[in-house]
Amino acid sequence: MTKILIIYTGGTIGMVNDAKTGVLIPFDFEQIKENVPELARLDYEMVVHSFVPIIDSSNMHPDQWKILAELIKSNYDEFDGFVILHGSDTMSFTASALSFMLKNLAKPVVLTGSQLPIGEIRTDAKENLITALEIAATKSKGKAVVPEVCIYFDNQLFRGNRSIKYNTEKFEAFRSPNYPILAEAGVQLSFFHNDILPVPTEPFYIQTKFDANIGVLKIYPGMTEEVVYAVTRSKVKAIVLETFGSGNATTAKWFTDALAEAIENGKHIVDISQCQRGSVQLGMYETSSELKKMGVISGYDMTFETAVTKLMYLLGADLTAEEIKAQMEAPIAGELTK
Ligand code: ASP
C-alpha cells in the first residue's frame, strides 16, 4: 500500500476562530481529520507527524527547514511521498530551501495549506489537502511522477523554488511567474511531464547547513547613501540587490562605489529584478554594465524567495567566492533559466 508521511507544521489550514478574542489560533491534526472524513476513503497508509507547537509560517526559520529535511531523510525509505501542511505566507521560502537541501530527491514533497481554515464551510483546505496527497502518491512504472519539492494550491502544482505568494485574498494565492505549472487538477490530474525534473539516479542525501547572514537592498529612486551603506557596510556576508527592470540601478558614483567596496570586502552581491516576470541581463544597459564589471552576480529570473534561500545554502556550503558566483548563476534545483 502507498505510504504518505504528512508533516503538519501549522498555518491557516488548521486554525479556528477563538470565540473570545476572534483571533485565529491553531488546532491539532486530529481536528483536521474530523473535518475531512474523505481522508478515510483514500487508499493510502497515512502517518502524521505534527510540529510541537504548530506554528504560523511567519515564525519559520532555517532551524525548522532543517527539521523538515531531517524528518524526510529519516523517513525517506519507508514512505512513497511527503505532504507538508504549512502556512501560505512563507511557504515559497520553505519550498525553495527544501529544494536545495534535499539532494537527488526521487520522491514527491508537496507543500500545501489554505486561505480559509479547514473548519469553514467555504474552505479551500479540503481540496488542497486531498489533491496534494494524490499527487504525492502518484507513480508511473514504479517511479514518482513528481520527484520534486512543489506547492499545490487551488488546482495548480508549482515547482516550489519558482513559486511566490502573490495574493492574500483569492484562493489562487500562488503563482510561478517564470516557469510553467507542473500539473493541473481538473476532472483529471494532468501532469506536464516535460516541465518536471527527471527522477535522479544518484542516492538521496541532505545538506542542511544554512548561513542566514545575508542582507537585502531594494533600490528606489531617491535612495540615500546612508541607507545603502547601512547594508553594504554591515556585517552580512552577502546581499540580495533588488534592482529595476532587467537588473538596472542608478549609475551615481557613490552607489557603484558602495557596492564595489562591499565586493572588495568579500561580500557577494546578487542582482535580482523587482519585476516578477523576466530575467536580469547584466550589461544590457549602461545602468547595469558597471555592476557586471565589478563582479555583481546575476540572479537571472530567480524569485526573491529563491535568491535568499539559495544564498543561505551556498554560504553554508563552505565554497570559494568563484564557486558561489558560479553556482548562484547556474540552476542547481531547477530554480533559474539563463
Ligand atoms: N499566517 C498564515 C501562515 O502563513 C497564513 C496562511 O496559512 O495562509 O501561517
Side-chain angles (χ1 to χ4, degrees):
M1 197 188 229
T2 304
K3 258 184 114 175
I4 308 289
L5 180 66
I6 300 173
I7 305 172
Y8 176 39
T9 70
T12 299
I13 191 163
M15 291 191 179
V16 274
N17 249 310
D18 184 283
K20 279 192 208 134
T21 60
V23 169
L24 282 172
I25 49 163
F27 62 21
D28 64 29
F29 194 81
E30 279 313 303
Q31 288 162 282
I32 292 192
K33 261 173 132 176
E34 280 165 26
N35 279 283
V36 196
E38 294 88 344
L39 286 181
R41 287 170 47 203
L42 289 173
D43 204 12
Y44 323 131
E45 186 181 338
M46 287 172 275
V47 177
V48 180
H49 178 100
S50 275
F51 268 32
V52 182
I54 44 181
I55 55 173
D56 185 292
S57 76
S58 297
N59 286 321
M60 275 282 165
H61 178 276
D63 289 348
Q64 275 84 34
W65 302 338
K66 186 172 177 213
I67 292 171
L68 286 171
E70 282 169 350
L71 262 171
I72 290 169
K73 164 90 178 124
S74 57
N75 289 284
Y76 193 74
D77 294 335
E78 210 191 315
F79 290 86
D80 299 285
F82 302 85
V83 169
I84 302 177
L85 301 180
H86 193 290
S88 62
D89 289 349
T90 68
M91 194 184 286
S92 294
F93 287 93
T94 300
S96 298
L98 287 176
S99 76
F100 301 122
M101 287 174 156
L102 307 176
K103 305 302 228 184
N104 301 326
L105 181 67
K107 300 186 178 186
V109 174
V110 188
L111 287 93
T112 195
S114 66
Q115 292 284 64
L116 279 179
I118 208 148
E120 304 253 333
I121 294 174
R122 288 179 52 251
T123 187
D124 52 331
K126 282 187 191 182
E127 198 284 321
N128 285 351
L129 172 57
I130 291 167
T131 308
L133 287 164
E134 287 193 337
I135 292 167
T138 305
K139 286 187 180 180
S140 165
K141 296 185 191 132
K143 287 184 175 169
V145 169
V146 191
E148 294 205 24
V149 179
C150 40
I151 289 184
Y152 179 75
F153 227 91
D154 194 41
N155 300 321
Q156 294 188 309
L157 185 70
F158 307 95
R159 176 167 295 162
N161 58 31
R162 293 292 197 150
S163 68
I164 52 167
K165 181 174 180 184
Y166 91 104
N167 201 317
T168 60
E169 291 174 349
K170 289 194 175 183
F171 288 143
E172 187 205 355
F174 287 86
R175 269 194 184 163
S176 171
N178 287 314
Y179 197 77
I181 55 169
L182 306 182
E184 191 157 32
V187 174
Q188 284 173 351
L189 258 179
S190 309
F191 292 95
F192 304 119
H193 300 281
N194 291 343
D195 299 317
I196 298 174
L197 292 172
V199 179
T201 48
E202 298 296 308
F204 173 73
Y205 67 97
I206 59 173
Q207 218 286 40
T208 57
K209 219 174 140 220
F210 270 45
D211 185 342
N213 195 3
I214 65 167
V216 175
L217 192 56
K218 182 167 185 162
I219 63 166
Y220 50 90
M223 193 172 203
T224 61
E225 293 187 45
E226 207 185 4
V227 171
V228 172
Y229 279 125
V231 180
T232 59
R233 288 187 176 165
S234 69
K235 291 208 171 78
V236 297
K237 295 183 186 161
I239 297 167
V240 175
L241 181 69
E242 269 203 55
T243 55
F244 308 127
S246 50
N248 307 315
T250 172
T251 49
K253 192 164 178 313
W254 65 266
F255 181 77
T256 49
D257 282 353
L259 297 188
E261 177 192 85
I263 292 173
E264 268 158 37
N265 289 334
K267 294 190 192 340
H268 313 277
I269 302 186
V270 181
D271 186 342
I272 59 166
S273 177
Q274 291 176 18
C275 300
Q276 287 184 347
R277 225 170 159 162
S279 183
V280 160
Q281 294 190 51
L282 288 180
M284 183 178 177
Y285 290 91
E286 193 202 349
T287 43
S288 70
S289 51
E290 194 56 34
L291 305 182
K292 187 176 183 179
K293 262 190 246 149
M294 72 175 77
V296 166
I297 298 166
S298 174
Y300 292 98
D301 61 351
M302 273 190 286
T303 62
F304 173 71
E305 291 82 340
T306 292
V308 164
T309 51
K310 188 175 177 184
L311 254 184
M312 289 182 184
Y313 163 77
L314 292 178
L315 286 177
D318 212 13
L319 303 169
T320 63
E322 289 72 30
E323 286 167 335
I324 288 182
K325 185 172 190 317
Q327 293 206 35
M328 255 341 259
E329 291 188 339
I332 57 173
E335 74 284 8
L336 71 82
T337 309
K338 276 183 133 171

